Amino acid sequence: MRTAVVVGAGLGGLAVAGALARSGWQVTLLERADRVRPEPTAVVLWPNGVRALRALGLGAGLDAIATPLPDGGIRRPDGQWLVQPRPTPAERMPVVVHREDLHDALIAGLGDRVELRTGAAVRSVRANAGERPAVSDGARTIEADLVVAADGTDSEIRRQLAPEAAVVSSGCAAWRAVIPWYQAPKLPADQPVGGETLGAGYRFVAASLGERGAAGGSSRGGIYWVATAAGAPRPEPPETQLALLRRWFAGWPAPIAELLDATDPADLVQQEIRELRPLPRAYGFPAGPGGVVLLGDAAHAMPPHLGQGACLAFEDAATLASLLRESRLPDAVASYDRLRRPRAATMVRQTRRMSAVLQTRGRLALRARDAALGTISPRLRNTAASAAAQWQPPT
């Protein structure tokens, strides 16, 4: 029986662990935290992410928890439209999913061939030509045919195998929250929840997560919002951070103020936005009879402006699972590297272009951006959407 060690029990790690187990592998899943629990927020999945989950055999579960996310357009802080909402073809429409629902679906797909160990912080990796790949926590070494590094932006495995890939700040921080339906404000019909508002270094995006009342009062349905601001994360407690957000976004179009007022500080999640510059020189490292591969943020951490982080992680998992079914293990490691590096580089490049547009500062630069945004933003988004829609798992 082939064996694998998956390091990291985030979305990508859970997805690949379950896929390998369903293919007959014996999997050890290592998580550095004491508990495996998701953020109480949501995640946007574009068509490539949805297609990857279907390729992993998780499509039925996704249909039950996903909400379509139509184009809501882009406004300025004064309410003027920069990009009017426009119809989105069904095959290009993203969906939004509560992270806890998605986490539950991935956990349910693990099966009995996955041994989950929490509190396991990997400190070293072995990827030598004449030995089986292995990881160690400093006290115990675990060998396997395959090691999957899904240990996030601060991946210790990537640091040792691809030290050229540095983690750098993207120059902004993000705040996320889901307001449960029982707590959400009741908005007039002419105040749609969806869409984004864009200012000088500030951005606010909101989306409905399921239909009001459809979940029977469940806290997993509601309104999901993300606020982004230039600068470093704030050290203050959540109550103070919410007060700052209300001040920064004061006077912005409804329903932004209403959503911030309805948010419980306990539901607020702050995150520093970081990325890899440059990307790793390789995503696959042959070792003995198998090898080590990088997956998800460990391979291609990027700003969230095009919503491709989780999608690419699921692509990684689906690609690796497909290659391992069709190829010898060493060949699958080499093919994974060959397929995933250019794909990730393309999506990272498009994300950085959008990041430059969204983080424009200065009066003259803002005027030029706003004047051109109606052309630039749809073109960049359409390019990214096309690339996302065209991805298919390898056969």
Side-chain angles (χ1 to χ4, degrees):
M1 179 182 295
R2 294 189 292 181
T3 59
V5 173
V6 177
V7 183
L11 296 181
L14 290 171
V16 74
L20 293 176
R22 290 190 293 275
S23 297
W25 289 64
Q26 186 65 42
V27 181
T28 302
L29 177 58
L30 305 179
E31 169 57 40
R32 69 167 68 96
D34 293 332
R35 293 176 57 192
V36 177
R37 53 184 175 186
E39 291 180 352
T41 60
V43 60
V44 174
L45 297 177
W46 290 82
N48 54 319
V50 173
R51 191 173 294 119
L53 284 174
R54 295 193 187 285
L56 291 166
L58 299 170
L62 179 64
D63 291 339
I65 58 177
T67 303
L69 185 61
D71 186 345
I74 305 175
R75 293 179 295 178
R76 294 195 328 189
D78 62 5
Q80 179 179 332
W81 286 107
L82 292 170
V83 180
Q84 289 277 356
R86 56 185 72 185
T88 304
E91 67 274 10
R92 290 195 177 187
M93 185 177 294
V95 298
V96 60
V97 184
H98 200 292
R99 280 183 177 267
E100 292 179 352
D101 287 334
L102 185 55
H103 177 267
D104 288 350
L106 294 172
I107 289 289
L110 291 180
D112 57 6
R113 291 182 182 271
V114 177
E115 178 190 359
L116 173 61
R117 301 180 187 176
T118 58
V122 169
R123 300 182 184 278
S124 63
V125 59
R126 187 178 72 203
N128 303 325
E131 301 177 276
R132 293 181 77 202
V135 295
S136 174
D137 61 4
R140 178 171 50 178
T141 298
I142 306 175
E143 294 185 345
D145 299 311
L146 176 69
V147 171
V148 180
D151 47 346
T153 304
D154 294 311
S155 169
E156 179 63 26
I157 294 177
R158 184 200 63 244
R159 190 187 67 80
Q160 296 184 28
L161 296 182
E164 71 282 354
V167 179
V168 300
S169 172
S170 298
C172 59
W175 290 261
R176 297 178 172 87
V178 172
I179 306 171
W181 280 129
Y182 66 82
Q183 189 176 313
K186 293 186 177 181
L187 305 173
D190 60 350
Q191 287 186 7
V193 171
E196 66 179 277
T197 308
L198 190 59
Y202 295 86
R203 182 189 187 208
F204 195 97
V205 184
S208 291
L209 190 61
E211 296 183 8
R212 186 186 290 269
S218 168
S219 63
R220 295 190 183 181
I223 299 176
Y224 171 53
W225 63 259
V226 182
T228 307
R234 303 294 303 196
E236 297 90 349
E239 294 83 359
T240 305
Q241 292 178 29
L242 259 179
L244 287 170
L245 290 171
R246 295 187 186 107
R247 188 177 73 192
W248 292 341
F249 292 96
W252 285 43
I256 293 175
E258 291 86 342
L259 296 181
L260 292 175
D261 287 341
T263 301
D264 188 326
D267 295 330
L268 189 66
V269 176
Q270 180 186 216
Q271 177 190 12
E272 180 184 13
I273 305 302
R274 299 179 298 157
E275 58 189 285
L276 293 180
R277 284 181 181 261
L279 293 177
R281 59 182 171 80
Y283 288 167
F285 304 85
V292 180
V293 298
L294 305 180
L295 183 146
D297 284 347
H300 39 65
M302 68 185 78
H305 303 311
L306 289 178
Q308 283 295 319
C311 295
L312 286 186
F314 292 142
E315 279 189 26
D316 292 342
T319 299
L320 182 61
S322 177
L323 292 171
L324 290 171
R325 286 193 299 267
E326 304 297 333
S327 307
R328 294 175 57 251
L329 182 51
D331 296 334
V333 171
S335 296
Y336 177 84
D337 178 64
R338 175 177 54 83
L339 291 173
R340 295 312 297 163
R341 274 194 298 119
R343 170 65 174 171
T346 295
M347 300 310 296
V348 167
R349 184 167 56 250
Q350 293 175 358
T351 297
R352 288 174 180 168
R353 288 173 180 168
M354 181 59 73
S355 180
V357 171
L358 297 179
Q359 296 187 35
T360 302
R361 306 290 294 274
R363 183 178 300 177
L364 294 178
L366 280 171
R367 287 180 180 175
R369 182 202 68 182
D370 290 353
L373 196 61
T375 300
I376 295 174
S377 180
R379 185 169 70 244
L380 287 174
R381 290 167 183 269
N382 288 340
T383 300
S386 295
Q390 292 169 3
W391 179 84
Q392 298 286 345
T395 57

